[in-house]
Amino acid sequence: MKQITDNYNKLVKKKKFTPAEMARARGNIVTLTDSSDLSRLADADLVVEAVPESMAIKHRVIKDLEQYIKPSCIFATNTSALSVAEIASASKRPENVVGMHYFSPVDKMMLLEIITHPKTSKEVAATAVKVGLAQGKHVVVVRDVPGFYVNRSLGPYMAETFALLLQGVDGVRLDKVMTKFGWAVGPVTLVDEVGVDIAMHVQESLVKDLGVRMAGGDASLLHKMIEMKYLGKKSGKGFYVHEAKSKGPKPVNKDVQDVLNVVAKKSDKYATDQDVAY
């Protein structure tokens, strides 16, 4: 709720919302917890879950919610790497299950992947697209394959990122080189934005499914960061230190840099920025 309220306050400050419009919009939001009365969902036409990337948790949520939602309600799962078909296997109505993969931060990232598995009905897929367009998203419809569209493309790029870090390429330099090359954000910053735990989960999932295309990437550094509770922006620290309301370049997390100084095997192959980019 804090993030939603902060976003509304920014809109008011920019005069895109009046305080009264903000109050009305916030009034439409009803927060629920595990102990809440989930019968509030009885009239919902579509439910989007965004629980952690665990198949067991996804299955528990879909089974729990199906006790309350109506038979026609669409169940959308926000997953970045898990099989939508496998998630749907826990449902009494798999034809109503579809993937809606939003990208972080959701209020700024315009892309939305709609993922259909073999049993997803055409009507459900069409409704998910309609909802995404109404949210102002750029919608792409993809099949339920490892990595879907974005992570299937992004995975090998991130594998190379981890390989470069473990060969001694400085993370700040890597971010600068790749933004100069044309990316909106550098790959190291991207990991912090997405979440180190999510990046690790996607990385390891794709290694199993894509094989040689993911060769070279080593997720051991991400495992270490998770052990140290450095999950990126959401925990306050990842590769960088994310200080509230700070502007300008973010300071490097010295603890992670210390780990890299120990495990990285310096290479002289990346003397120039062009060597790094290509």
Side-chain angles (χ1 to χ4, degrees), residues 175-216:
D175 272 350
K176 288 180 178 179
V177 169
M178 296 317 296
T179 51
K180 184 178 179 181
F181 187 77
W183 289 79
V185 297
V188 179
T189 294
L190 182 62
V191 173
D192 270 11
E193 288 286 347
V194 170
V196 174
D197 52 338
I198 300 298
M200 184 199 74
H201 170 73
V202 172
Q203 178 78 8
E204 293 187 335
S205 297
L206 291 178
V207 165
K208 288 188 293 185
D209 292 312
L210 300 185
V212 69
R213 282 175 283 181
M214 296 293 292

Side-chain angles (χ1 to χ4, degrees), residues 53-174:
E53 292 279 71
S54 160
M55 190 62 72
I57 296 175
K58 300 278 190 186
H59 281 176
R60 190 188 77 196
V61 168
I62 198 168
K63 288 177 181 178
D64 286 349
L65 291 187
E66 282 189 340
Q67 299 176 59
Y68 302 96
I69 60 179
K70 58 190 177 185
S72 61
C73 181
I74 297 170
F75 185 92
T77 177
N78 178 41
T79 179
S80 57
L82 295 178
S83 164
V84 176
E86 189 174 346
I87 293 171
S89 69
S91 172
K92 297 176 183 177
R93 300 177 286 272
E95 67 278 7
N96 287 354
V97 179
V98 67
M100 293 183 74
H101 179 205
Y102 294 86
F103 294 82
S104 182
V106 176
D107 57 305
K108 295 178 181 176
M109 301 298 285
M110 300 306 296
L111 187 63
L112 170 64
E113 287 180 312
I114 303 296
I115 306 108
T116 60
H117 66 95
K119 293 183 179 179
T120 302
S121 77
K122 291 182 179 179
E123 293 76 16
V124 165
T127 300
V129 170
K130 184 177 180 180
V131 169
L133 293 174
Q135 293 171 332
K137 298 296 185 183
H138 301 312
V139 177
V140 293
V141 180
V142 297
R143 288 190 301 158
D144 184 23
V145 296
F148 312 136
Y149 173 77
V150 172
N151 283 328
R152 196 178 183 89
S153 303
L154 189 64
Y157 169 70
M158 296 310 297
E160 289 299 311
T161 295
F162 303 136
L164 287 169
L165 290 171
L166 291 173
Q167 291 181 70
V169 176
D170 178 69
V172 175
R173 177 190 176 202
L174 184 50

Side-chain angles (χ1 to χ4, degrees), residues 1-12 22 26 29:
M1 280 303 298
K2 182 182 182 303
Q3 182 178 352
I4 293 171
T5 301
D6 288 346
N7 286 337
Y8 278 142
N9 285 331
K10 289 176 184 176
L11 291 173
V12 170
M22 183 184 85
R26 286 193 79 252
I29 300 171

